[in-house]
């Protein structure tokens, strides 16, 4: 998995349980483990860039929006 190093995070969100953190940049969305600081998942942002990402209240889904 790769980390988006050339684009700063423009939004950060945590899961309701606090065990995951989501960072959003214009290049990607990354899901992190808050205890180990390990990158769990990398999502590309598509051709136009990601805008936001947030977990549903039950932590079942990650909702994203793109340009």
């Amino acid at each position: 998995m790769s980390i988006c190093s050339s684009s700063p995070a423009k939004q950060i969100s945590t899961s309701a349980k606090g065990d995951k953190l989501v960072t959003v940049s214009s290049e990607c969305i990354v899901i992190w483990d808050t205890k180990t600081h390990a990158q769990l998942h990398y999502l590309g942002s598509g051709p136009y860039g990601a805008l936001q990402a947030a977990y549903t209240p039950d932590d079942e889904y990650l909702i994203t929006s793109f340009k």
Side-chain angles (χ1 to χ4, degrees), residues 10-55:
K10 58 184 177 182
Q11 192 227 351
I12 298 172
S13 177
T14 59
S15 62
K17 294 176 188 171
D19 59 337
K20 292 184 224 100
L21 177 83
V22 178
T23 58
V24 178
S25 73
S26 58
E27 293 179 356
C28 67
I29 297 171
V30 180
I31 302 171
W32 304 90
D33 183 303
T34 58
K35 292 183 179 151
T36 65
H37 303 164
Q39 182 180 332
L40 299 174
H41 301 285
Y42 168 90
L43 306 167
S45 64
Y48 304 110
L51 295 174
Q52 297 177 335
Y55 280 97

